[in-house]
Amino acid sequence: VSGLELWAPNSVVANNRSHDNDAAGMSMGGNNCIVIGNRCWDNAQLTGSLRGSGIVARAHPRRTNAASGSVFVANTCYDTRSPMTQAYGYNEIGAGLRDIILVGNDFGRNRLGATHFSERGDRDGSGGRISPTMRKRLEELSHSSVVSGEVLAVVRTFLSW
């Protein structure tokens, strides 16, 4: 069982702490979501499976490109145990995910590595892949008190590219 599992599109998932879960800390299946300022640690406690990563971006066989278009900003995912069981800090599961952007995250210190991508391609937002709608949502978020000043600085830097 994941700590948090979300399939709702256009959601903002901010400032959560998720640890010691059997599977992922957070499993994101909704498209065009903003996942920001979360911390996931010591997950995959019982299974040690690939699905037991800090944050998992999910594809779905009946929902085309489920987590596509989502932005993951200033999240921290790690494993403190010995032996480690949390597979990756960020992990994509399933085929067809696209236009996912990762910026300012700390996904180090996990059993198999920091990140695992299901498709080739960059995830840094270069090349103008961020949609005008997502840019507007991030701009609005950068002027709110929903997340900490450090996280807002990451958002503002990303938007200035």
Side-chain angles (χ1 to χ4, degrees):
V1 175
S2 296
L4 181 146
E5 184 167 345
L6 180 78
W7 289 90
N10 304 306
S11 297
V12 176
V13 178
N15 303 324
N16 294 285
R17 306 293 178 256
S18 185
H19 58 91
D20 298 303
N21 296 292
D22 181 33
M26 296 183 178
S27 183
M28 305 305 301
N31 62 343
N32 301 314
C33 291
I34 297 172
V35 182
I36 185 168
N38 300 289
R39 193 172 84 168
C40 301
W41 69 98
D42 295 348
N43 292 294
Q45 188 163 352
L46 298 177
T47 63
S49 74
L50 288 180
R51 295 182 193 276
S53 295
I55 296 175
V56 172
R58 303 279 307 265
H60 190 279
R62 292 184 305 264
R63 294 184 178 158
T64 306
N65 303 319
S68 293
S70 294
V71 178
F72 297 81
V73 181
N75 298 288
T76 302
C77 301
Y78 56 93
D79 198 325
T80 65
R81 295 171 300 201
S82 180
M84 292 179 170
T85 58
Q86 184 166 285
Y88 297 98
Y90 170 85
N91 186 12
E92 294 178 359
I93 296 178
L97 293 172
R98 58 183 172 71
D99 299 327
I100 291 177
I101 296 173
L102 305 176
V103 62
N105 298 288
D106 178 2
F107 293 138
R109 303 173 314 275
N110 294 282
R111 181 170 57 94
L112 299 177
T115 57
H116 175 261
F117 303 125
S118 62
E119 307 279 332
R120 289 186 180 207
D122 64 55
R123 307 282 188 295
D124 66 1
S126 61
R129 290 184 328 192
I130 187 168
S131 71
T133 302
M134 182 61 76
R135 177 172 286 282
K136 181 179 179 188
R137 289 176 62 206
L138 286 168
E139 287 170 352
E140 290 169 356
L141 187 62
S142 75
H143 298 292
S144 75
S145 61
V146 171
V147 292
S148 72
E150 284 181 18
V151 173
L152 291 178
V154 172
V155 172
R156 289 177 184 137
T157 299
F158 172 67
L159 291 172
S160 71
W161 291 353

